[in-house]
Amino acid sequence: MIQPTLPAPAPLRPSELTVLNLPMGDRRVRPLLDELALEYDSRYGSLFGRGAAAAELNRYPAKEFVAPVGALLIVQENGESVAGGAFRRHGPQTAEFKRIWTHSAHRRRGLARFVLAELESLAARRGYRKVYLTTGPRQPEAKHLYLNTGYEAQFDLSADPETVGPLAFTKELPAVRR
């Protein structure tokens, strides 16, 4: 059977992107949360049960993702939310990155790397010196993104990810004068 050829993803043009620091309840955040719930349910429904994604996405109070200890960033292109991510305090000098996401129609363009760079920059400006994050064992593309952007795995890379559970990563941030 011949596989259809997918169109090449649109090139990333950072000058055409708008980065918004928003509260969790803002309507422009909704696409991130809705699609993350679908993604998590499709990948982990057989492991955690259907609907478990909603509980995971609501596990942390919204106030943990606001300044000065946190942030929630949405990247928009032509007024559409196409990517995003957030961080919260994990320790005195450690930010925990959460909900790094790229809309399914905009993947393979470098948006996740763009979001990581934006989150890292803002976290460093807020005084964090280190990042901690986890991804699920059924998200190999996220695992490779973190490894390819300087994050250190806190687990045995040769182990079957399904036996590890959440895959933890850390990264030191450069000092920034505030």
Side-chain angles (χ1 to χ4, degrees):
M1 181 171 155
I2 297 174
Q3 294 291 328
T5 303
L6 297 175
L12 185 64
R13 294 186 176 90
S15 63
E16 295 178 9
L17 301 176
T18 303
V19 179
L20 305 171
N21 191 342
L22 301 172
M24 190 71 71
D26 190 286
R27 66 175 173 73
R28 294 165 290 187
V29 176
R30 194 80 251 153
L32 175 147
L33 298 176
D34 290 346
E35 195 169 42
L36 268 177
L38 290 172
E39 183 86 18
Y40 289 170
D41 274 341
S42 71
R43 290 187 190 224
Y44 298 103
S46 63
L47 191 61
F48 300 118
R50 292 279 171 217
E56 169 59 24
L57 291 171
N58 292 307
R59 189 164 100 180
Y60 304 100
K63 68 182 179 186
E64 292 187 18
F65 298 98
V66 296
V69 297
L72 190 152
L73 303 181
I74 293 294
V75 177
Q76 290 200 319
E77 185 175 50
N78 301 319
E80 177 189 4
S81 296
V82 295
F87 67 83
R88 61 191 278 275
R89 180 179 299 281
H90 186 70
Q93 293 189 315
T94 303
E96 179 181 16
F97 286 7
K98 305 292 289 176
R99 316 293 180 244
I100 297 168
W101 160 86
T102 300
H103 188 284
S104 59
H106 296 275
R107 292 185 180 154
R108 310 221 28 94
R109 298 179 54 206
L111 284 161
R113 282 178 185 263
F114 181 84
V115 168
L116 272 178
E118 291 290 322
L119 289 170
E120 289 170 4
S121 177
L122 181 55
R125 290 194 310 272
R126 297 249 176 103
Y128 290 111
R129 301 284 303 171
K130 187 175 186 176
V131 172
Y132 170 82
L133 62 80
T134 61
T135 192
R138 296 181 180 176
Q139 294 171 260
E141 54 283 281
K143 173 184 160 186
H144 294 294
L145 168 69
Y146 302 136
L147 290 172
N148 289 327
T149 53
Y151 285 78
E152 293 182 33
Q154 303 301 300
F155 58 94
D156 181 355
L157 285 168
S158 66
D160 175 358
E162 293 279 332
T163 66
V164 175
L167 309 179
F169 295 85
T170 60
K171 183 177 183 177
E172 300 292 325
L173 294 174
V176 173
R177 290 187 185 197
R178 298 190 303 169

